[in-house]
Amino acid sequence: MECREVWSAIGAPCLLWVVGVSILLWLVASFSEVSMFDEVKKTLDDSMRALLNSFWFVPALVSLFGPFLAIFLLMFDHTFQVKNVPLLFSGGSAEASTILSIIAGSLITVAGLTFSITIVVLQLLSSQYTPRALRSFLQDRVTQVVAGGFFAIFAYSLIVLMTVRDPAPFDPGFLPAVSITVGINLGFLGLALLLIFIHHTGQIIQVSDIAARIATQTVEAIDASSPNWSHEPHEDEVFSLIQTWHTSEKPAQLRAPLAGYIQRISLTHLLQDIKFLRLQVHLLVSPGDFVTEETVIAHIWPAHAVDEAFRKTLLHCIYIERERDIAQDIRFGVRQLADIALRALSPAVNDPTTGILCIKYLQAVLERLVRRQSQPDTYYFNNRAGILKIRQPSFEEYLAVFTEIKHYTGGNQRVEIVLANALNAIHDVATRLRNGEDGDLLAAFIADFASTGSALESQPATSDLPCTLL
């Protein structure tokens, strides 16, 4: 098969696909500063986020490297006919076909092995730790790049193999020495990728790595800044405003269009959409809440000003999906750590060391949460004629996981001491930062735990555990 035929059959469609993706990325960047294209930009952002969060997109991009490299090198071989160069393939067409066939067959076998290992790891994560950690594993870039690399080498070998021809009376034949040499080296690269994959998989399935990764993602979500549209009014003022709205007029109710989790709320787009409207919007949900088609997710005043177009605009900024996402849902990270701890402390598993590890990471997350500045939950715009009130999860909702963990300690003094130290350490951080609200809540929480007669009564946050307890 001639290089031009290979290009027509494979290269041109692949190039068009890459050009299309490039245009999509360019449009996202171009519309980022143009307000009239906010809707288009939002749609493109959502599409790109969905692609990057899927398992197939990155492997598909990486696998395209193989066909493009093969076409480029085949054209190079066809143009220059490089021969008699040290370390360059010097065999015949039969040897070349055999080598390329072995590489292609081996790489597709290795790709199948990789996916088999991936499925086993997913099953292990789901049964041994928590099924809610599967998504982060599927989004692991090393796994995706390795999978794409195997397919890229497989495609490269097949394309080069198609062009190898024996000499004939009216055909001089074609032996792309450079392409075959590169294919041999790519075969060795495939072996290296397999070793990298096995090593990486062995690391990321360790509970210490899983807990650390979840904690890191949660802390990053905590540190993510919120749009700075206005100051946050006093809580009493907000409560008084909402009571006044309810008293003066019955609000228009906005219900969820389908059942699922509130995965994220595009607050920036929501504020841009309603900032010129003289409306008072009270958003009753936050990322991580589960809603049904009968769940009221927002109250809007005045009711007569709410039309179908505004309802669609508001719902377009609230993403309801089948699973939660840690990017805006800090409680999801806390829940994953708590689930691993609960499973480890359950009588069926009885692994207190893993439970203690998760408690310590929960301590780190909640300490960062206490240090974080209070997030605004009320936004004024249009000279205070328009107001947006959103629901922010309370600190008590995060502390609730410690109640669940305490239930499964089973009188294990080692776990109870670590739990006591964690709560006291979080309380010390709140006291040092003069966070009175969280500090009072923690003090009441610790007192309630101490009333159960556990080790929480007497363990200071700075106490060192005996070696026998570690």
Side-chain angles (χ1 to χ4, degrees), residues 219-294:
V219 169
E220 290 175 352
I222 293 173
D223 293 339
S225 59
S226 298
N228 187 18
W229 281 70
S230 75
H231 69 283
E232 181 183 8
H234 195 272
E235 184 67 26
D236 294 338
E237 178 186 351
V238 176
F239 181 76
S240 176
L241 280 172
I242 296 175
Q243 288 295 104
T244 303
W245 297 342
H246 277 281
T247 303
S248 61
E249 181 184 357
K250 185 177 180 180
Q253 295 183 340
L254 182 68
R255 300 183 186 274
L258 70 161
Y261 287 102
I262 303 293
Q263 190 180 89
R264 57 191 176 90
I265 298 175
S266 183
L267 189 58
T268 301
H269 290 100
L270 178 59
L271 290 170
Q272 289 176 348
D273 289 337
I274 68 175
K275 66 180 179 181
F276 297 115
L277 303 176
R278 307 174 71 87
L279 295 174
Q280 293 83 42
V281 181
H282 184 197
L283 207 56
L284 304 176
V285 294
S286 64
D289 292 338
F290 188 87
V291 296
T292 67
E293 295 180 2
E294 297 301 321

Side-chain angles (χ1 to χ4, degrees), residues 198-210 213:
I198 294 175
H199 172 74
H200 181 71
T201 303
Q203 282 189 321
I204 63 177
I205 63 173
Q206 296 179 27
V207 65
S208 57
D209 187 270
I210 295 173
R213 185 170 62 252

Side-chain angles (χ1 to χ4, degrees), residues 140-420:
D140 183 73
R141 293 298 182 231
V142 174
T143 302
Q144 293 177 345
V145 170
V146 168
F150 290 149
F151 284 107
I153 299 174
F154 171 74
Y156 177 93
S157 302
L158 282 186
I159 293 173
V160 176
L161 179 62
M162 288 190 302
T163 64
V164 176
R165 299 192 311 275
D166 292 321
F170 300 101
D171 185 0
F174 183 58
L175 188 65
V178 175
S179 301
I180 297 171
T181 304
V182 172
I184 294 172
N185 287 293
L186 288 177
F188 289 112
L189 176 62
L191 295 177
L193 289 177
L194 178 60
L195 294 177
I196 292 173
F197 173 76
I198 294 175
H199 172 74
H200 181 71
T201 303
Q203 282 189 321
I204 63 177
I205 63 173
Q206 296 179 27
V207 65
S208 57
D209 187 270
I210 295 173
R213 185 170 62 252
I214 294 172
T216 300
Q217 292 174 348
T218 308
V219 169
E220 290 175 352
I222 293 173
D223 293 339
S225 59
S226 298
N228 187 18
W229 281 70
S230 75
H231 69 283
E232 181 183 8
H234 195 272
E235 184 67 26
D236 294 338
E237 178 186 351
V238 176
F239 181 76
S240 176
L241 280 172
I242 296 175
Q243 288 295 104
T244 303
W245 297 342
H246 277 281
T247 303
S248 61
E249 181 184 357
K250 185 177 180 180
Q253 295 183 340
L254 182 68
R255 300 183 186 274
L258 70 161
Y261 287 102
I262 303 293
Q263 190 180 89
R264 57 191 176 90
I265 298 175
S266 183
L267 189 58
T268 301
H269 290 100
L270 178 59
L271 290 170
Q272 289 176 348
D273 289 337
I274 68 175
K275 66 180 179 181
F276 297 115
L277 303 176
R278 307 174 71 87
L279 295 174
Q280 293 83 42
V281 181
H282 184 197
L283 207 56
L284 304 176
V285 294
S286 64
D289 292 338
F290 188 87
V291 296
T292 67
E293 295 180 2
E294 297 301 321
T295 303
V296 178
I297 61 177
H299 286 156
I300 311 165
W301 294 268
H304 62 82
V306 181
D307 55 10
E308 191 63 27
F310 179 77
R311 291 177 181 270
K312 291 181 178 180
T313 299
L314 196 59
L315 289 173
H316 197 51
C317 298
I318 302 173
Y319 296 83
I320 302 176
E321 302 290 346
R322 297 177 180 177
E323 55 184 355
R324 301 168 71 176
D325 187 7
I326 205 170
Q328 288 191 10
D329 186 6
I330 301 172
R331 291 178 297 167
F332 185 44
V334 174
R335 169 49 53 196
Q336 291 183 69
L337 290 171
D339 284 349
I340 297 174
L342 292 172
R343 185 162 297 190
L345 294 174
S346 64
V349 178
N350 193 21
D351 182 10
T353 302
T354 297
I356 288 173
L357 176 68
C358 293
I359 291 173
K360 291 181 177 179
Y361 274 115
L362 283 170
Q363 173 188 335
V365 168
L366 293 187
E367 286 176 350
R368 180 63 66 90
L369 195 63
V370 169
R371 289 199 299 267
R372 182 187 66 169
Q373 293 183 352
S374 178
Q375 296 297 296
D377 62 359
T378 305
Y379 300 89
Y380 291 120
F381 41 88
N382 200 9
N383 295 325
R384 298 178 70 92
I387 300 176
L388 173 64
K389 172 71 169 66
I390 63 177
R391 187 183 97 79
Q392 294 283 8
S394 65
F395 190 66
E396 188 174 4
E397 294 181 56
Y398 298 103
L399 285 177
V401 297
F402 285 103
T403 303
E404 301 177 36
I405 294 174
K406 173 63 179 65
H407 178 74
Y408 280 93
T409 57
N412 189 311
Q413 184 182 12
R414 178 186 173 201
V415 178
E416 289 186 349
I417 290 175
V418 173
L419 190 60

